[in-house]
Amino acid sequence: MAKRAGLDPMGLALGLLNKVAGAPLLERFGLHKPVEKVAYEATRAGFRTIGAATRTFKAVGKLGGAPARLPSAPESGLFDLTPTDEQRMIVDTVAEFAAEQLRPAAAAANESCTPPRELLGRVAELGVGLLGVPEQLDGAGTERSAVTNVLVAEAMAHGDLGLAVACLAPSAVSTALVLWGDGDQQAIYLPSFVGEDVPAAALAILEPRPLFDPFVLRTTARRGPGGYVLNGVKSLVPRASEAELFVIAAELPGSGPALFLVESSASGLTVESEPGMGLRAANMGRVLLDEVSVPATALLGGGSREVYTECVRLSRLGWCALSLGTAQAVLDYVIPYVNERQAFGEPVSHRQGVAFKVADIGIELAGMRLVTYRAASRAEQGKSYAREVALARKLCTDKGMAIGSDGVQLLGGHGYVKEHPVERWYRDLRALGVVEGIVLV
């Protein structure tokens, strides 16, 4: 999508709908392929390579200016989480995209551990990443949009959670730049995220060790001549082999955890494949940092602990949204299955043990959605939302995994085979209890 100045959310939604409605089904999203600049080497056999040094980030506009920030949404005065008309139109378009593009590609992407490049290009064409970028920076944002971003993430994950992570990973970096980047950082990096050739980028917080605590990091950033020197390993980084820009979490001695902008071309940065139990379609990898030097200007948010804490909270909120979409996919799949599956001369849904289990999924999903939307609403209004995020993450982690497990059980033997997508959704939902970072709302 070309840069669009002054585009409000209503205009963006109408534009997306017109694009969808004005093309045949097979050509609906095949508009333009992104410029292919990276030799994609990820295979099931694995890879290890230097970062994807394919782009030089240059400032567009004058350096030294004030950063552009989105204002908080106005207080509604009522506890009403009903989406606005603009949000409905945007979500309807994203949901249609997820059903027609993500769902059919999910099985093959899961097997190859590689998201289709053409699909990633269509996501850029869809313009989802513009929602969190201010209008003055050629985005479509006029105010904080945590609720809209949650709704978009939920709609995408209904198609496939792994592909949704691959599609939304660059938006995490652009959102971090909008929220905490200074004027120079925004001028250098943000213009690339509002054009047609959106760079692969990722927020990397998680480290490969048991019982990981995002506030106790082993990746370190010591002060060096003219900047910082980073050492450590980051785990489960989406699209690591092709990423051109990372936001890396590292322990800054004397200050605590902080965020750093690290280009993949930095000397000492390498990536290696890390396929896991779930989220395989996101092409997960490890980022290894060995004496990686970055300038002092790479520090995001001034190294503030409050900035890092908010980053963790918004990331957890994003994962709650993703769990909603995939859990809803499980429910939507098992209901017709148990109604059509015959046993002893009648549908298995006539058995109370089956019917009650399906009802439990619906009840738990409604609770997950309520607390997640409430946390997002408070976040975009600038209110305290720490308690709400904690409740949402606990509920979505526990109940999301349980819903995935119940979905497999309700399909019986069919739940264990790859002919049905429920086993993949179960594996993806297991990630909710272990991941940190990656997405940001």
Side-chain angles (χ1 to χ4, degrees):
M1 180 177 292
K3 296 180 181 179
R4 300 180 181 181
L7 186 63
D8 60 17
M10 176 68 82
L12 175 63
L14 292 176
L16 295 179
L17 287 176
N18 288 336
K19 183 185 295 184
V20 170
L25 179 63
L26 295 180
E27 300 178 359
R28 186 166 295 173
F29 295 98
L31 300 175
H32 299 287
K33 292 184 179 180
V35 179
E36 296 182 356
K37 294 183 178 180
V38 181
Y40 214 104
E41 299 179 2
T43 65
R44 277 180 287 182
F47 63 81
R48 182 164 183 171
T49 181
I50 60 173
T54 63
R55 183 190 308 255
T56 300
F57 293 96
K58 295 182 179 180
V60 175
K62 184 179 179 180
L63 293 176
R69 303 277 190 246
L70 290 172
S72 298
E75 293 189 26
S76 63
L78 297 173
F79 182 57
D80 183 7
L81 302 179
T82 304
T84 64
D85 291 339
E86 294 92 338
Q87 288 171 335
R88 286 195 187 96
M89 286 188 288
I90 293 172
V91 170
D92 286 347
T93 304
V94 175
E96 187 170 354
F97 174 85
E100 296 181 0
Q101 300 291 315
L102 269 63
R103 183 71 65 88
N110 175 76
E111 290 299 316
S112 65
C113 296
T114 305
R117 278 190 252 181
E118 296 82 1
L119 177 63
L120 299 175
R122 292 168 197 155
V123 173
E125 292 287 348
L126 199 61
V128 170
L130 297 178
L131 296 173
V133 180
E135 289 182 343
Q136 57 264 46
L137 297 176
D138 295 323
T142 57
E143 62 186 26
R144 286 287 299 273
S145 55
V147 172
T148 302
N149 291 337
V150 162
L151 294 172
V152 167
E154 179 183 353
M156 278 217 172
H158 190 268
D160 183 70
L161 202 156
L163 286 177
V165 168
C167 294
L168 295 175
S171 296
V173 175
S174 61
T175 298
L177 286 165
V178 170
L179 291 176
W180 309 302
D182 60 31
D184 291 349
Q185 290 167 338
Q186 290 185 351
I188 293 171
Y189 295 109
L190 271 180
S192 298
F193 289 89
V194 295
E196 291 183 353
D197 184 22
V198 176
L203 168 64
I205 293 178
L206 186 67
E207 297 176 350
R209 68 175 190 271
L211 302 177
F212 171 73
D213 182 348
F215 295 96
V216 182
L217 300 174
R218 292 182 182 174
T219 301
T220 61
R222 72 174 188 274
R223 290 177 172 80
Y228 302 91
V229 179
L230 277 62
N231 286 279
V233 179
K234 291 299 174 181
S235 183
L236 295 180
V237 180
R239 299 169 62 185
S241 62
E242 61 170 334
E244 301 174 74
L245 181 65
F246 299 98
V247 174
I248 301 286
E251 181 73 16
L252 188 59
S255 299
L259 301 172
F260 294 85
L261 293 163
V262 183
E263 297 183 23
S264 61
S265 58
S267 177
L269 186 151
T270 57
V271 296
E272 62 182 24
S273 64
E274 191 180 30
M277 173 182 174
L279 304 178
R280 294 171 64 84
N283 186 25
M284 292 299 194
R286 288 189 180 187
V287 176
L288 292 79
L289 306 161
D290 182 14
E291 295 291 301
V292 175
S293 297
V294 296
T297 54
L299 184 61
L300 193 63
S304 167
R305 186 178 182 86
E306 288 73 21
V307 164
Y308 180 77
T309 300
E310 186 176 14
C311 177
V312 172
R313 288 173 181 163
L314 291 177
S315 171
R316 290 176 173 178
L317 186 56
W319 279 105
C320 292
L322 291 171
S323 73
L324 296 179
T326 303
Q328 184 68 57
V330 173
L331 181 61
D332 293 344
Y333 197 88
V334 301
I335 288 177
Y337 181 91
V338 298
N339 284 332
E340 297 168 6
R341 180 73 172 175
Q342 296 281 326
F344 304 104
E346 63 180 358
V348 297
S349 60
H350 289 186
R351 305 288 176 174
Q352 286 187 343
V354 172
F356 289 175
K357 184 65 67 178
V358 174
D360 286 343
I361 293 177
I363 293 169
E364 301 297 357
L365 182 55
M368 292 161 57
R369 184 170 284 118
L370 181 63
V371 294
T372 299
Y373 287 5
R374 178 171 173 79
S377 177
R378 292 184 63 86
E380 75 172 20
Q381 294 178 62
K383 297 180 178 179
S384 171
Y385 62 101
R387 177 179 179 272
E388 288 72 18
V389 167
L391 291 174
R393 185 172 191 258
K394 175 62 176 174
L395 191 61
C396 291
T397 296
D398 294 348
K399 302 306 180 183
M401 289 190 293
I403 288 172
S405 178
D406 289 342
V408 171
Q409 289 293 108
L410 286 167
L411 265 66
H414 285 166
Y416 193 72
V417 298
K418 295 184 182 296
E419 178 184 353
H420 297 270
V422 179
E423 62 85 23
R424 184 178 69 250
W425 295 336
Y426 166 68
R427 290 187 284 107
D428 288 345
L429 284 168
R430 295 288 300 181
L432 269 294
V434 299
V435 293
E436 295 282 1
I438 301 178
V439 293
L440 204 65
V441 296

